[in-house]
Amino acid sequence: MDGPGRLDGLWTAFRGVRWPKRLLAGLAGLFAAVLLLDLVFPPPLTRAHVNSVLVTDRMGKPLRAFAAPDGRWRFAVSVEDLDPAFIDALVRVEDKRFWNHHGTDWFGMIRAAVDSAAAGHVVSGGSTITMQTARMLEPRARNIGSKLIEIWRANQLERRFTKEEILEIYLTLTPYGGNLEGVRAASWSYFGHEADRLSSDEISLLIALPQSPEVRRPDRRPQQARKARDWVAKKLASYGVFAQGEAEEVAALPVPPVRLDFPDRAWHAADAALSSGPREDVRSTFDAGLQAELERIALTRAEREGQDVQVSAIVVHVPTRAVRALVGSASRDRAGGWIDLTNRSRSPGSTLKPFIYGLAFDDGIASADTRVEDLPRQFAGYQPENFDRMFRGDVRISDALQHSLNIPAVLMLDRIGAERFSAQLAMAGARPRISGSGASGHGAGLALALGGAGLTARELAILYSALGDGGIAKPLVWRAEEERASYEDAGHRLMSEASSLEILRILQGSPAPEGRMPGSLTRDAPQIAFKTGTSYGFRDAWAAAVSGDHVVVVWIGRADGAPRTGVTGRDSALPVLFEMADRVSHHLRDDGEARARLTTERPKKARGAQRNLSQDRPPEILFPPEGAELWAGPVNGQPGRPFVLAGRGDGALSWFIDGAPTPLDDAGSPIWQPRQPGFYQVTAVDAEGRTSRVRVRVLTENPA
């Protein structure tokens, strides 16, 4: 064979052997390139995951909606939560082969091209729901190049997501005019409810609007919106989706004339629930009915208290630590109302005293019946005094707690250790915030007993929930799905179960507010174990309570911390707490009836110096002292106030002035109002008849 023939034969053999391999290699390379491009340039999904959120109460009632970070209303969609009739109608109108194609409906695109050519203008773009989803994820100018990119992106989406997931992205991003995106936002804004149940006219409007959202906005162009809605309804009737005559019924109805406001209740409560976890729709632990009532009570009280006064409150279900209601402020229209005051550090006043005594009970330092001295004394330069600046002498621990005496509480804190007490609170979830630089570290520590460190209402709710749960402290729970897990949380033991039960029994015996009958004497009334507190300078008025299975904490004051002279927690906050506790009992019966938590653990017996051993000695008169000169004349133009007599002895003391018995004030303390100057004999007699006397002089004008 000559040369040219041989070459032709070799070329023929080469083409027969090499070309298929090269073809396969080229196809493999192309496939690898496609995969590489798919990995390097995945579909942009950011807009589908940065959405508005809705916070509901524990029964699903809407409380407050939060716009997306870009200012748009765009809620994530779950197909399972939408009206199935809407899904069927949407697919039938927008993309009837949606469930079968792989991102691009080629037959639909060819039909759209033919129809547009015949009409001389674009009649339909032939885009599938998947292609429209790709366009909304990555908006760009409409041209041939953009269409090719949409086809590519649609293919990517189909490989990554199920049809239901693609539909959810589509219905999350669909434009509805203005800053509305997605079917849930449109349903809330135009109809005032979720898209889980939709009427025929609502379905038709929600399908018609995205095709020209600005032109067909019902709040601005109602005629165009109505015309488009009716056209969709007729189309659905022709497809057999709507029953006969349904399109005529739709046409007889008006379109929504205005956009409605999104839910905007429980302002601070909803924000707290949202901040407790991922930014997504939240089914909170709140009770919408109780929340509304507590907001009403708070506003009524704030208006009664005066200008610029705010009220905040929190209610916690003790077994689960679920927050059932939170009022951050009485009103955002009042000074400081935009601040959630349940989350601002304030002086807790005397509200920490129950926990001081609880630790003392655990240590065996004291018990409820231990007698302790309520007398002036100094603690390393720190000299506390009682709120009324009077001293009662020997008192029982239970009485000292019920009447919020300061000296016994500081004495107990000194015995258990201020640093230890502060550490226990911190480990329980209530870290005291100590400010100021004028006192020594020891003095500042003992001031904890009287509110010398900042705590929030939420932290007090944690502590009082521990008191109501056998001494176990746990974090607050804000989301309904986390309630069950709280049962399994071991928590942190703040005090023993026996001590917590003893403290509750003492607090249940505290004097009820004026006009309120004790719960033990009232049928179906909650048994309330409460403590009040007033911060230094009358800046904060507190009341905290365990009422059955719930804890209620109330704060009243000014948001700027300005004092309100003479306003105490007992006078201001306690009546509000009792009213709120009544509403809690009414609304939350399903949380469990009020019950006492019993224990077989016996409290430790008191030991050591805190026990007051009875001795055969007469009573001691503390005020007035022997030989004192007492001024009974006017002070700053006002008549002189009665003297309060004080002493200590075995049991209650009887008091006499020159042999005449003295009257008692409203608090049960003996008082003496001299009518004229001169010398008087003051006598104290105990239950056994033992007597002590002092001689004093009363002045009503300056001696010569």
Side-chain angles (χ1 to χ4, degrees):
M1 183 179 294
D2 57 11
R6 191 179 300 113
L7 290 175
D8 290 342
L10 291 174
W11 174 245
T12 301
F14 173 79
R15 285 190 302 170
V17 176
R18 293 290 187 182
W19 180 244
K21 292 183 178 180
R22 288 190 173 186
L23 178 61
L24 291 175
L27 292 175
L30 179 61
F31 182 72
V34 170
L35 290 179
L36 181 61
L37 287 173
D38 184 66
L39 293 174
V40 174
F41 301 102
L45 300 172
T46 302
R47 292 191 67 243
H49 299 308
V50 182
N51 300 313
S52 308
V53 293
L54 179 66
V55 177
T56 66
D57 82 340
R58 59 182 179 149
M59 303 304 293
K61 297 178 181 177
L63 294 176
R64 182 183 172 191
F66 294 78
D70 59 4
R72 294 181 177 274
W73 292 105
R74 180 177 58 244
F75 296 96
V77 169
S78 172
V79 170
E80 294 180 354
D81 296 333
L82 298 180
D83 191 332
F86 168 74
I87 298 297
D88 292 342
L90 172 72
V91 171
R92 189 67 182 86
V93 172
E94 287 292 332
D95 186 1
K96 63 182 179 181
R97 281 182 284 272
F98 171 72
W99 301 107
N100 299 316
H101 63 63
H102 298 288
T104 304
D105 183 1
W106 298 105
F107 294 104
M109 291 188 68
I110 294 172
R111 175 187 52 78
V114 171
D115 291 344
S116 298
H121 59 85
V122 177
V123 175
S124 172
S127 294
T128 63
I129 287 178
T130 311
M131 292 172 63
Q132 294 179 56
T133 303
R135 182 168 65 246
M136 289 185 290
L137 286 170
E138 194 176 25
R140 58 180 70 246
R142 305 293 298 276
N143 51 48
I144 297 297
S146 298
K147 181 68 72 174
L148 294 176
I149 294 175
E150 287 175 19
I151 294 173
W152 164 253
R153 292 299 195 193
N155 183 265
Q156 286 183 301
L157 293 174
E158 292 279 348
R159 289 201 304 271
R160 283 172 167 79
F161 302 105
T162 65
K163 289 290 187 178
E164 288 78 7
E165 290 171 336
I166 292 172
L167 198 57
E168 288 172 349
I169 298 174
Y170 171 81
L171 291 173
T172 298
L173 300 177
T174 307
Y176 277 93
N179 63 345
L180 296 180
E181 292 183 356
V183 65
R184 289 183 62 201
S187 183
W188 273 113
S189 187
Y190 291 127
F191 313 136
H193 60 76
E194 280 282 8
D196 53 348
R197 290 187 178 182
L198 298 168
S199 59
S200 299
D201 61 307
E202 292 172 343
I203 290 174
S204 302
L205 184 62
L206 290 176
I207 294 175
L209 292 183
Q211 298 173 5
S212 298
E214 293 301 330
V215 174
R216 299 175 177 178
R217 280 183 60 171
D219 58 322
R220 293 187 176 181
R221 298 177 176 84
Q223 294 301 324
Q224 290 89 329
R226 185 168 186 169
K227 182 178 179 181
R229 180 202 64 181
D230 296 348
W231 177 83
V232 170
K234 290 179 181 179
K235 198 169 186 179
L236 290 172
S238 68
Y239 291 155
V241 177
F242 283 177
Q244 287 186 345
E246 204 165 352
E248 288 76 9
E249 294 176 2
V250 169
L253 297 172
V255 295
V258 295
R259 282 179 50 171
L260 304 176
D261 293 332
F262 286 90
D264 192 27
R265 297 185 293 163
W267 184 271
H268 294 113
D271 187 64
L274 180 60
S275 302
S276 68
R279 185 184 170 84
E280 59 190 16
D281 284 355
V282 178
R283 183 181 287 263
S284 71
T285 59
F286 307 132
D287 182 280
L290 177 65
Q291 177 72 30
E293 286 227 43
L294 264 56
E295 289 178 356
R296 176 189 58 78
I297 293 171
L299 179 57
T300 301
R301 187 68 190 196
E303 292 174 342
R304 187 185 308 167
E305 290 281 328
Q307 188 176 5
D308 296 337
V309 175
Q310 285 288 359
V311 177
S312 66
I314 183 171
V315 175
V316 177
H317 180 226
V318 173
T320 62
R321 298 307 197 274
V323 180
R324 291 290 182 242
L326 181 143
V327 181
S329 67
S331 171
R332 298 195 303 279
D333 295 331
R334 299 173 70 86
W338 289 85
I339 303 172
D340 182 356
L341 296 168
T342 67
N343 201 28
R344 290 296 184 273
S345 177
R346 297 279 183 168
S347 167
S350 297
T351 57
L352 295 182
K353 289 177 180 175
F355 307 98
I356 295 174
Y357 290 116
L359 294 184
F361 290 0
D362 280 354
D363 290 349
I365 296 172
S367 67
D369 292 326
T370 297
R371 302 192 72 84
V372 62
E373 292 182 340
D374 180 34
L375 293 173
R377 62 182 300 168
Q378 288 190 348
F379 301 86
Y382 175 55
Q383 184 171 359
E385 59 183 16
N386 287 324
F387 186 80
D388 57 8
R389 299 187 176 182
M390 297 188 301
F391 301 96
R392 274 80 173 175
D394 282 359
V395 296
R396 294 187 306 167
I397 290 292
S398 57
D399 294 327
L401 177 55
Q402 289 173 349
H403 295 280
S404 199
L405 302 183
N406 290 343
I407 307 301
V410 175
L411 180 61
M412 286 296 152
L413 182 58
D414 188 48
R415 293 295 300 273
I416 67 176
E419 292 184 1
R420 172 197 170 197
F421 179 65
S422 179
Q424 278 286 76
L425 296 183
M427 287 187 289
R431 178 179 59 84
R433 301 160 185 82
I434 301 175
S435 60
S437 57
S440 65
H442 188 62
L446 291 181
L448 282 171
L450 311 183
L455 287 177
T456 69
R458 299 185 191 182
E459 291 167 335
L460 280 179
I462 291 175
L463 296 179
Y464 277 82
S465 294
L467 191 61
D469 194 21
I472 299 297
K474 299 179 183 180
L476 301 181
V477 173
W478 302 90
R479 301 189 178 209
E481 68 270 14
E482 299 173 0
E483 287 191 43
R484 184 176 298 275
S486 181
Y487 283 109
E488 304 171 359
D489 184 357
H492 169 76
R493 181 161 290 283
L494 179 60
M495 67 179 73
S496 69
E497 184 179 1
S499 294
S500 65
L501 179 59
E502 187 66 20
I503 294 295
L504 284 178
R505 286 173 175 165
I506 293 173
L507 294 179
Q508 285 178 347
S510 299
E514 183 178 355
R516 176 82 182 205
M517 184 177 295
S520 58
L521 303 179
T522 306
R523 183 179 179 182
D524 297 331
Q527 299 296 304
I528 303 178
F530 68 88
K531 184 72 188 74
T532 60
T534 307
S535 68
Y536 178 78
F538 300 98
R539 289 174 171 82
D540 308 280
W542 291 94
V546 180
S547 177
D549 277 337
H550 296 89
V551 160
V552 184
V553 177
V554 175
W555 172 90
I556 301 180
R558 288 177 49 131
D560 60 3
R564 297 193 302 142
T565 304
V567 179
T568 67
R570 181 171 183 83
D571 296 335
S572 181
L574 188 58
V576 178
L577 182 141
F578 268 73
E579 185 177 1
M580 289 185 173
D582 287 341
R583 305 322 301 158
V584 169
S585 178
H586 172 75
H587 280 277
L588 302 183
R589 290 185 180 274
D590 57 324
D591 276 353
E593 295 294 336
R595 66 177 187 271
R597 292 173 172 78
L598 302 179
T599 176
T600 58
E601 182 183 349
R602 297 181 63 84
K604 295 181 181 179
K605 295 294 185 181
R607 65 177 185 271
Q610 293 302 309
R611 290 186 297 175
N612 183 3
L613 301 179
S614 177
Q615 298 179 2
D616 187 16
R617 60 183 182 182
E620 180 181 359
I621 297 177
L622 304 175
F623 182 87
E626 174 67 31
E629 290 187 343
L630 308 178
W631 176 257
V635 178
N636 296 327
Q638 300 295 324
R641 298 176 60 184
F643 299 113
V644 178
L645 308 177
R648 60 181 176 183
D650 186 10
L653 301 180
S654 299
W655 293 85
F656 302 87
I657 306 296
D658 288 343
T662 62
L664 303 178
D665 64 9
D666 292 339
S669 300
I671 58 174
W672 172 34
Q673 178 75 71
R675 299 302 179 187
Q676 57 187 11
F679 289 91
Y680 293 84
Q681 181 175 271
V682 181
T683 304
V685 183
D686 66 14
E688 300 297 327
R690 292 182 288 263
T691 302
S692 292
R693 299 178 177 87
V694 296
R695 186 172 176 82
V696 299
R697 183 185 183 188
V698 173
L699 304 175
T700 57
E701 58 183 15
N702 294 325

